[in-house]
Amino acid sequence: MSKQASKGAAAGKAKKPTKAGAEEKREDVLQAVVLADSFQDRFRPFSLEKPRCLLPLANVPLIEYTLEFLASNGVQDVFIYCGAHSEVIEDYIHNSMRWNPAHGISPFASVEFIRVSDATSTGDFLRDLDGRNLISGDFILVHGDVVANVSLDAALAKHRARREANRDACMTMVLREIGDQPHRAARTRVITPVFVVEPSTGRCLQYEEMHPLQSDPYTILDPAIFSYPEFEVRSDLIDCGIDICTPEVLALWSESFDYELPRKNFLHGVLKDFELNGKVIYTEILEDGYAARANTLRMYDCISKDILGRWTFPYVPDSNMVHDQAYKRAREGSCIEEGVKLAKDSKVTKSVIGRRSTAGAGATIARSIIGRRCKIGKNVKIENSYIWDDTTVGDGSSIVNSILADSVIIGKDCIIPEGSLISYGVHISDGTHLPTTPASRISLLTQDGKLASTDTSLVGKSGSGAFYKETIGDDIDSDDDDDEVDPSALDGSLFYTHPTLNISSESISTLASHSSFDSDDEDQPTSGFLQPGSSNTRNRLSSFASNDSEAAAAAEKSDAFHGDAVHGLVDALRNADSDDFDSAKLEFMGLRLANDASDGMMRWAIAEAFVSRASELLSPENGGLDSKKAAEAAFTEKKGAVKFIKEVGVGSEKETVQAEFALAMQKSLLDVKGLEGSKAGRLLAAMLQQLYILDVLEEEGILEWWGNSRAAETESLRVVRGECRDLIKWLEEAEEEESEDESEAEDSD
């Protein structure tokens, strides 16, 4: 047995309880428990062959950032739970000059590994840890994917003071305010944690989770919350995955064998059962510094970009965190390691390139991270991608928004589209164009770790590898309601991709005139709507646009969201192979998250998509339907489309919001090529009537649109609006009849 394996096995045995004097002495030693296994499959197929905590983040193994964070905060004893690939992680730490205490330069006094052979969740491991008597005092519980440069001195001091005053104060969660931080990790969240906090003490009173796919976009507060003099409901916090705990936390895990997840189960349960357990949990909300978890592929991408942007300083490439690194800052915001060879006419911008990598003539590398010993051919285009060690990319190939693992070979003139995940050792033949939908996950292995049969239709005749079927993580329970989409599916890909579209710019607007429209505030005055581009427009990106270039970037991002969103929805409505709209909803909400799109931006995109589809159905080549049938088909031919419009496109029963959606449809019709005013007006009337019949729009909302001056501010708008006069008359008469019926009913009473 190797020395390291022996050590790991010894750590797996429970220690005898120490004497009282020894316990008091150990109180001053800060310990940390690192959860290096997340029990998730979000990083597959890469994590099939290598533990997630050792995957490269800006060419540095992910666990390095976590251990540096602990070292900077004075941790002395570290316990690492490895889980899958435990021997690989143990060997890595054992061979590390930085982290193995035996080498004499480690900041840690001890590093021990804990193996729990039958653990299937975080709860299983922490319950096992409780029985080992390894934790002697306060300890930091941290996930092995944390990237943080924050100091815990103040949080530790407050935690200890609270513990001295009240022994039931068992945990302090370290959270980070999103504020106006422009870095990506602050704005990219699939699951929004909701903390109810007592502001004067920082005590956490309730915890819930929300996600963009839930049908009921509300959090229900415990009635007991209202007994407190004051409280804040905070959904603007980043959960850093850093907790300061007392040993009582482990005991609480042991008392509840159904707890699996630290937040959704443990935190929610302990707070809910306060009357039974009496334990109090606090928050420490930081305003400065960087802290985030690379716990999804999207967060991996965001944190990588933040490292390039130096938000994580001092943990940046030219700090050379790993022993043998030698990066230096270069022009165009890049970091290049010694021994890199670039052709004179190659171009590298805002990228990282590792030692002994080469790039041929005409190659362009932008906002990407290239590992060591990579060979980039001539005229290769690499954008927003991650190329790990020893990978070869042939001449003329293009890679966009993708991850290529170690020793991948990409042939000449290949196209690797956005969202592609290509695992270790895969070979893509010359001239291969990978499919854009679904995004390609290619591996040499199957889900159970066995060698896959090569699919030559995917990787080419001389290639090797096969499509890896995506598995959605089980860390978020899906409801039994068939209409609900599991939100964990949003975490299952690096980027949100769309099928190849055949839509002309003439038939679908790119929102040149609407991109600045953003009505986040639903409590608008009924006298008018916010004008696109007006001084009253409030954009979620506005706080980050401090100068003209940033404002232009924000506008470009808005345009990109609109174009991609409209195209994706229209393509889903056209798709004859599927009657289900759930996948389109999933992609749309993913785009919304990736671009931080506001409600107003979503409203315009959805309105334009359905207008475009209804307009197509009028043409002879698409059925030549009349306006009424075209409107009905556009809304109802796909299951779930009406619900999507009601909950996401409109999303409110307020008259002004419903009127906004009607206005968005009206203006979108003006952009449809070949649809003259009166014909566009008849289609609008039919669509409004259908939405009224389908209970998406109320008569008050339609009448609010009709009476607003913006619906008739140009001659073209007035022509379209005029064709809706009969519909408005019908609605007004229906409203009068309803009022008369109500009056008669009151009189009869």
Side-chain angles (χ1 to χ4, degrees), residues 198-213:
E198 188 177 30
S200 59
T201 64
R203 179 181 171 185
C204 188
L205 305 175
Q206 185 176 343
Y207 174 79
E208 303 291 341
E209 292 180 354
M210 299 183 68
H211 61 83
L213 302 182

Side-chain angles (χ1 to χ4, degrees), residues 8 33 82 125 190 209 241 244 265 279 287 303 308 328 350 383 396 433 444 465 503 514 555 570 620 653 672 744:
V33 175
C82 300
F125 162 67
V190 171
E209 292 180 354
I244 304 171
N265 299 142
K279 298 301 179 183
E287 297 181 359
I303 295 174
L308 285 173
K328 293 182 179 179
K350 296 182 179 179
E383 290 185 357
H433 294 188
L444 297 180
I503 303 175
H514 309 322
V570 172
E653 295 181 357
V672 178
E744 291 176 359

Side-chain angles (χ1 to χ4, degrees), residues 240-479:
C240 308
I242 304 168
D243 297 330
I244 304 171
C245 306
T246 65
E248 284 78 9
V249 166
L250 299 178
L252 288 172
W253 279 96
S254 293
E255 291 170 5
S256 298
F257 280 87
D258 57 339
Y259 288 168
E260 294 185 356
L261 303 172
R263 294 292 185 258
K264 189 174 183 180
N265 299 142
F266 175 79
L267 178 60
H268 178 86
V270 171
L271 295 176
K272 184 178 180 181
D273 295 336
F274 169 71
E275 295 296 331
L276 296 176
N277 56 54
K279 298 301 179 183
V280 185
I281 297 175
Y282 289 88
T283 62
E284 178 67 15
I285 300 175
L286 305 178
E287 297 181 359
D288 300 314
Y290 186 95
R293 289 184 59 197
N295 57 341
T296 68
L297 286 166
R298 294 187 64 240
M299 286 301 296
Y300 174 92
D301 174 59
C302 291
I303 295 174
S304 297
K305 295 296 195 304
D306 287 342
I307 291 173
L308 285 173
R310 306 183 74 80
W311 290 102
T312 59
F313 188 85
Y315 309 128
V316 292
D318 51 299
S319 292
N320 297 311
M321 295 172 60
V322 179
H323 173 64
D324 63 342
Q325 287 185 333
Y327 284 97
K328 293 182 179 179
R329 297 186 69 180
R331 292 181 296 177
E332 303 289 347
S334 296
C335 281
I336 309 296
E337 197 172 12
E338 294 178 356
V340 172
K341 295 182 179 180
L342 304 174
K344 289 185 178 180
D345 60 347
S346 62
K347 186 175 182 181
V348 178
T349 57
K350 296 182 179 179
S351 297
V352 176
I353 303 181
R355 180 180 295 157
R356 294 173 57 191
S357 289
T358 62
T364 60
I365 302 172
R367 299 175 300 282
S368 298
I369 297 175
I370 312 297
R372 289 181 168 182
R373 301 174 299 278
C374 293
K375 298 178 181 179
I376 310 301
K378 299 177 182 178
N379 300 314
V380 168
K381 174 185 175 183
I382 300 176
E383 290 185 357
N384 296 309
S385 294
Y386 306 94
I387 315 296
W388 298 350
D389 295 346
D390 301 298
T391 287
T392 299
V393 182
D395 297 346
S397 291
S398 172
I399 302 171
V400 180
N401 296 351
S402 298
I403 299 178
L404 278 60
D406 297 354
S407 303
V408 168
I409 298 175
I410 304 297
K412 297 179 180 179
D413 301 316
C414 294
I415 295 180
I416 311 300
E418 63 176 0
S420 298
L421 306 177
I422 303 180
S423 195
Y424 302 92
V426 168
H427 181 188
I428 307 297
S429 299
D430 293 351
T432 301
H433 294 188
L434 294 182
T436 58
T437 180
S440 297
R441 290 188 179 217
I442 304 176
S443 175
L444 297 180
L445 302 179
T446 61
Q447 290 184 0
D448 56 6
K450 297 180 180 179
L451 188 65
S453 299
T454 292
D455 182 358
T456 55
S457 66
L458 177 66
V459 300
K461 292 183 179 179
S462 62
S464 57
F467 182 75
Y468 181 85
K469 184 180 179 181
E470 180 178 345
T471 301
I472 297 175
D474 59 0
D475 53 313
I476 304 172
D477 297 330
S478 59
D479 296 330

Side-chain angles (χ1 to χ4, degrees), residues 141-143 145-148 171-178 185-186 188-189 191-195 207-209 234-243 261-264 267 283-286 290-295 299 303:
L141 179 62
V142 63
H143 293 267
D145 52 26
V146 166
V147 179
M171 189 171 88
T172 299
M173 295 178 291
V174 178
L175 309 174
R176 173 72 171 86
E177 275 191 347
I178 293 177
T188 303
R189 299 180 299 174
I191 302 300
T192 300
V194 180
F195 297 89
Y207 174 79
E208 303 291 341
E209 292 180 354
R234 302 291 299 268
S235 61
D236 61 334
L237 301 172
I238 299 172
D239 189 347
C240 308
I242 304 168
D243 297 330
L261 303 172
R263 294 292 185 258
K264 189 174 183 180
L267 178 60
T283 62
E284 178 67 15
I285 300 175
L286 305 178
Y290 186 95
R293 289 184 59 197
N295 57 341
M299 286 301 296
I303 295 174

Side-chain angles (χ1 to χ4, degrees), residues 24 29 65 141 150 191 214 280 321 372 384 402 406 428 461 487 505-506 557 603 668 693 703 707 718 725 748:
E24 292 176 3
V29 174
Y65 296 94
L141 179 62
V150 297
I191 302 300
Q214 66 189 59
V280 185
M321 295 172 60
R372 289 181 168 182
N384 296 309
S402 298
D406 297 354
I428 307 297
K461 292 183 179 179
S505 58
E506 290 84 3
K557 188 172 185 179
R603 193 170 298 130
S668 296
I693 293 171
L703 294 175
R718 286 193 290 271
R725 187 172 288 105
S748 63

